[in-house]
Amino acid sequence: QAQLVESGGGLVQAGGSLRLSCAASSRVFDINAMGWYRQAPGKQRELVATITKGMRTNYADSVKGRFTISRDNAKNTVDLQMNSLKPEDTAVYYCNAAMFFTAGWRDYWGQGTQITVSS
């Protein structure tokens, strides 16, 4: 059973918007930081945005002012609203969360969702 399930990827023209959502397993006992990362072809995975349980956010400089991360602690979800998308935002986007199950705390990743921004 996947611990993090993402949705919302796709193809969009430059200047457009997309929203990514990520839902954690209902079996989780606690979630600490959640975030989004991305990996473009031939590049390393990089941080896009993170959000703490207390709603403190952090963004990569490249997305500041365009992307907004949010979370719902009651629903164990984290979203990424992406506006003014650019071709260089094209990548596979991964949800990430530090979660506590019966075995203890661990870092988890979603399966990844493709975002393609055409010029």
Side-chain angles (χ1 to χ4, degrees):
Q1 179 181 356
Q3 310 300 2
L4 291 171
V5 178
E6 303 154 357
S7 60
L11 172 66
V12 65
Q13 287 189 328
S17 298
L18 280 175
R19 187 177 184 88
L20 299 180
S21 295
C22 177
S25 168
S26 59
R27 298 183 296 109
V28 66
F29 291 130
D30 197 7
I31 304 177
N32 200 344
M34 305 184 81
W36 290 93
Y37 291 72
R38 66 186 181 188
Q39 187 166 18
K43 295 187 176 181
Q44 289 189 329
R45 191 173 298 189
E46 64 177 6
L47 179 146
V48 176
T50 60
I51 185 167
T52 67
K53 186 188 283 190
M55 303 302 177
R56 182 171 294 181
T57 59
N58 179 53
Y59 295 93
D61 288 343
S62 59
V63 306
K64 282 181 181 176
R66 300 188 298 122
F67 291 11
T68 302
I69 190 170
S70 60
R71 68 187 280 177
D72 185 327
N73 289 335
K75 296 180 179 179
N76 292 335
T77 59
V78 61
D79 292 346
L80 185 69
Q81 178 65 42
M82 303 180 290
N83 299 328
S84 302
L85 283 159
K86 305 175 181 180
E88 50 264 44
D89 294 318
T90 295
V92 177
Y93 284 69
Y94 296 91
C95 177
N96 171 266
M99 300 195 292
F100 185 87
F101 290 90
T102 53
W105 284 100
R106 221 198 79 183
D107 212 35
Y108 290 86
W109 293 90
Q111 78 280 8
T113 186
Q114 177 71 47
I115 300 292
T116 302
V117 184
S118 62
S119 57

